Amino acid sequence: MNAAAVGAVRDAAVPRATTRVALLGTGTVGGAVLARLASWRGSSLGDGVRLVHVANSRAAAGDRAGLAPDDAAARLRRAPQGSSLEAVETVLHGDGPRVVIDATASEAVAERHAHWLAQGIHVATACKIGQGTSLSRWRAIRTASAIGGAGYGDSATVGAGLPLLRSLRELQAGGDRIHAIAGVLSGSLAWLFNQYDGMRPFSTLVRQARDAGYTEPDPRDDLSGEDVRRKLLILARTAGVELEAGEVEVTSLVPPELAILSKDALDAALPALDTPLRERFAQAYKRGEKLRFIARLKDGRASVGLESLAADHPLAGGAGTDNRVAIWSDRYARQPLVIQGPGAGADVTAAGLLDDVLRLTR
């Protein structure tokens, strides 16, 4: 037996340390994470990952011996009210790989990312508030990761797990400079403009998208472009352009009269969107073009807003909630690398989170 074979036998004989996982957030994405973990039961993947803590904003349940993923939601319902982020470190304390999965949209949880990383706890997140807000927080996450020797899994923050951030990093690792990025980064806005035909009121589609769960409960969070701005910031910083949040120019689809309304008053006022969007669509239609909500980065400048694109433009295609992103680099100077796929959905986001868990602890 040669040396390589001996090494392989030796490695196979050493059991992989079990990864202890704390899941924060049990909504749509968190529920999909639990379902995927439950589907791993009895497999080598399931044997290597132990769920020891699950929490939402109301309650928490933990057990160092492990929680059954398919029973975790019921355990939470039976748990006393109250949830503390300090409990995460307590239940994860000990040797072996430790991971926090952040499936929330919580500012308080995002604020703890750097702290956990500095303690040697890996973080896998779908929350854009960590890396997509202030530049100081983005830098703190990077510094803490280096100090604690823990990894930050962020593939689910942009493109719901599509290989966008990984592609940018691998291009740069191969010596490429990133010249420009442009793309459809919002699954909800992609769906709206793939469906909009200038005939039906745009407000009707917004209600339909909200009721189907494509948008946030308050669709202004999507229509304002704020979600896309955060994603573009993450892409830009990953590409080496360390922008402050205020340096991204955002053209919102929300008119001022809608922006000031309470959430309860919003639904009745949504028709204020109809006339401006119908006019934009008619202008694009006359030129044989399509409306797409585009994020752009070029020459250190970043912008987000609705654009009219030629029908054969690299970003004009796609269907449903697809994200479609073009990357220009040294090797893709004339024809961009285009990455396309579902940019929204609990199942693909959960898969991206757990892929990161496996990569971080492999």
Side-chain angles (χ1 to χ4, degrees), residues 85-249:
L85 292 176
E86 282 71 24
V88 173
E89 292 170 59
T90 301
V91 76
L92 288 178
H93 181 73
D95 296 328
R98 301 170 292 164
V99 185
V100 171
I101 299 178
D102 180 3
T104 76
S106 166
E107 170 71 28
V109 174
E111 184 65 33
R112 302 281 292 192
H113 287 181
H115 172 76
W116 288 321
L117 291 166
Q119 305 302 311
I121 300 171
H122 304 293
V123 175
T125 181
C127 179
K128 294 168 284 293
I129 300 174
Q131 291 196 120
T133 51
S134 72
L135 187 56
S136 61
R137 177 178 288 173
W138 178 79
R139 287 172 172 163
I141 286 171
R142 290 168 61 88
T143 299
S145 179
I147 290 172
Y152 194 74
D154 56 5
S155 64
T157 60
V158 185
L162 290 174
L164 297 173
L165 298 174
R166 183 168 73 246
S167 295
L168 288 173
R169 289 170 178 141
E170 290 179 354
L171 286 171
Q172 292 173 97
D176 266 28
R177 294 166 299 167
I178 307 300
H179 301 306
I181 302 170
V184 175
L185 298 179
S186 166
S188 56
L189 291 173
W191 185 88
L192 284 168
F193 288 105
N194 281 325
Q195 295 291 318
Y196 188 49
D197 58 6
M199 303 294 289
R200 291 171 292 174
F202 190 76
S203 57
T204 298
L205 286 175
V206 171
R207 293 190 183 101
Q208 187 177 342
R210 179 196 58 200
D211 295 344
Y214 294 148
T215 72
E216 297 296 326
D218 185 337
R220 289 174 297 187
D221 294 341
D222 301 278
L223 297 169
S224 68
E226 179 59 29
D227 177 68
V228 176
R229 175 183 25 199
R230 289 174 177 170
K231 293 175 180 177
L232 182 58
L233 279 171
I234 295 171
L235 289 172
R237 291 165 179 173
T238 301
V241 183
E242 297 186 10
L243 296 174
E244 285 285 4
E247 294 181 88
V248 181
E249 180 183 345

